[in-house]
């Protein structure tokens, strides 16, 4: 279960509101390659992993992604404080504002609400870890460049990629043992070791 | 009660960041004595920082409300607010 700590992993201190920027950054929260998707993905994939090391890694990274989600939420929140009407009307932010005012609604920059279709859970360790590699390494450079926490986010994403690779390496010998015993068409994940 | 953690909060964030990375490293390489030793060193530092922070700035978790006379958990700024950073 989770314990919540009342601090952001990295500070967010935005002096000047900028709703147009919030419109873009919100994709890092609720978009296809955003933190909500990441947290959902890892925290649900971990149940069917074959080894404690991988269960641990996905639990720890998934929990951390919730913290990142909070940082992006904080960024969007601070970017949309004390707005002047001309910062809303006639800008791309107006479309978001009409449905959510300055609430934080996980969605993409294009206005698509967060969708669990962005995450994959196959119950197969290698497939799931491959999905993680693809997702975490996704090119969200544009969004991160716009964030105050971009250096930290970039560093973390790089480190995560190497985590997933390493855990694939841990899993592979076990996986090959199973392949040797069963036909490759078999669903392997729930078969005994 | 001080609202802004200043240096304390900054160092706590740094130690926690290092610990988070160390945990992931140990998840992948559990039999690394140096990593485990460093983990314990950081943990000790964290305990000190946490205690100091909670005494002067307010609870870090809902279980950390030190005061017997006031409920500070909801009385100090939440992390997404400008003043909390």
């Amino acid at each position: 279960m989770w314990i919540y700590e009342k601090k952001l992993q990295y500070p967010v201190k935005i002096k000047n509101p900028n709703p147009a920027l919030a419109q873009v950054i919100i994709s890092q929260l609720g978009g296809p390659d955003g933190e909500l998707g990441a947290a959902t993905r890892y925290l649900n994939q971990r149940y069917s992993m074959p080894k404690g090391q991988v269960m641990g890694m996905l639990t720890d990274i998934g929990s951390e992604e919730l913290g990142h989600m909070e940082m992006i939420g904080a960024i969007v929140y601070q970017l949309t404080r004390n707005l002047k009407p001309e910062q809303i009307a006639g800008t791309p932010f107006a479309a978001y504002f009409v449905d959510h005012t300055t609430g934080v609604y996980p969605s993409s920059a294009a206005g698509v609400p967060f969708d669990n279709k962005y995450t994959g859970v196959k119950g197969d360790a290698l497939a799931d870890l491959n999905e993680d590699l693809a997702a975490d390494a996704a090119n969200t450079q544009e969004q991160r460049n716009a964030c105050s926490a971009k250096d930290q986010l970039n560093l973390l994403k790089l480190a995560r990629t190497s985590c997933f690779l390493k855990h694939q390496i841990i899993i592979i010998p076990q996986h090959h043992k199973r392949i040797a015993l069963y036909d490759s068409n078999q669903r392997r994940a729930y078969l005994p070791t | 009660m001080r609202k802004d953690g200043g240096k304390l909060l900054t160092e706590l964030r740094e130690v926690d960041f290092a610990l988070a990375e160390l945990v992931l490293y140990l998840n992948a390489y559990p039999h690394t004595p140096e990593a485990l030793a460093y983990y314990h060193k950081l943990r000790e530092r964290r305990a000190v920082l946490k205690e100091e922070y909670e005494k002067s700035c307010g609870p870090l978790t809902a279980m950390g409300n030190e005061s017997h006379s006031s409920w500070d958990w909801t009385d100090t700024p939440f992390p997404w607010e400008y003043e909390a950073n």
Side-chain angles (χ1 to χ4, degrees):
Chain A
M1 70 145 279
W2 278 272
I3 294 175
Y4 175 75
E5 276 202 349
K6 204 174 177 183
K7 73 184 204 321
L8 295 182
Q9 188 173 41
Y10 188 80
V12 170
K13 226 174 163 119
I14 295 172
K15 282 206 187 86
N16 302 311
N18 188 338
L21 197 55
Q23 181 70 17
V24 173
I25 288 182
I26 202 156
S27 256
Q28 185 72 48
L29 171 59
D33 308 309
E35 309 294 339
L36 178 53
T40 307
R41 181 182 297 112
Y42 307 146
L43 292 173
N44 284 293
Q45 284 178 353
R46 64 193 171 125
Y47 302 120
S48 55
M49 286 294 152
K51 280 183 88 119
Q53 281 179 264
V54 193
M55 293 178 199
M57 188 251 320
L58 289 174
T59 298
D60 296 335
I61 297 187
S63 304
E64 196 180 336
E65 297 293 4
L66 290 173
H68 296 172
M69 203 177 90
E70 192 183 27
M71 282 197 283
I72 308 300
I75 291 171
V76 171
Y77 169 78
Q78 289 186 22
L79 282 171
T80 52
R81 295 300 93 199
N82 308 313
L83 297 179
K84 304 188 194 78
E86 59 265 25
Q87 285 177 296
I88 305 171
T91 73
F93 183 68
Y96 177 92
F97 185 83
V98 83
D99 289 331
H100 311 294
T101 68
T102 54
V104 177
Y105 181 73
S107 48
S108 72
V112 181
F114 175 74
D115 196 325
N116 198 41
K117 292 190 192 73
Y118 302 150
T119 73
V121 181
K122 280 273 187 286
D124 178 293
L126 287 182
D128 284 349
L129 289 169
N130 258 1
E131 141 108 1
D132 298 344
L133 280 167
D136 222 336
N139 188 8
T140 50
Q141 200 63 42
E142 207 47 63
Q143 299 154 32
R144 287 194 211 126
N145 284 342
C147 284
S148 63
K150 78 159 190 270
D151 292 330
Q152 286 65 32
L153 281 174
N154 283 331
L155 178 68
L156 283 165
K157 299 311 170 187
L158 269 172
R160 297 302 161 267
T161 306
S162 65
C163 270
F164 298 130
L165 280 167
K166 171 61 187 175
H167 282 84
Q168 279 194 319
I169 291 168
I170 291 172
I171 301 256
I172 282 170
Q174 216 180 20
H175 212 73
H176 281 167
K177 239 187 256 169
R178 290 188 194 172
I179 291 173
L181 291 171
Y182 296 96
D183 183 72
S184 60
N185 287 332
Q186 301 269 349
R187 298 302 303 276
R188 304 172 213 100
Y190 48 85
L191 294 169
T193 325
Chain B
M1 173 124 311
R2 239 176 53 195
K3 282 197 174 161
D4 145 49
K7 274 207 179 111
L8 256 180
L9 185 54
T10 303
E11 200 192 333
L12 183 57
R13 283 197 236 256
E14 287 169 0
V15 171
D16 276 348
F17 189 92
L19 269 168
E21 292 299 301
L22 253 184
V23 165
L24 288 174
Y25 181 85
L26 284 161
N27 285 342
Y29 304 97
H31 312 291
T32 317
E34 309 97 303
L36 198 50
Y38 189 42
Y39 165 86
H40 281 286
K41 188 168 165 224
L42 285 175
R43 236 181 69 164
E44 273 171 42
R45 181 64 189 144
R46 181 185 206 266
V48 171
L49 287 167
K50 179 172 180 253
E51 206 192 318
E52 271 183 55
Y53 182 86
E54 289 194 309
K55 276 208 182 85
S56 61
C57 308
L60 261 181
T61 68
M63 314 305 167
N65 198 83
E66 296 285 328
S67 169
H68 287 258
S69 54
S70 57
W71 183 241
D72 299 320
W73 173 244
T74 49
D75 203 31
T76 48
F78 272 79
W80 52 89
E81 302 184 78
Y82 185 88
E83 315 81 64
N85 296 276

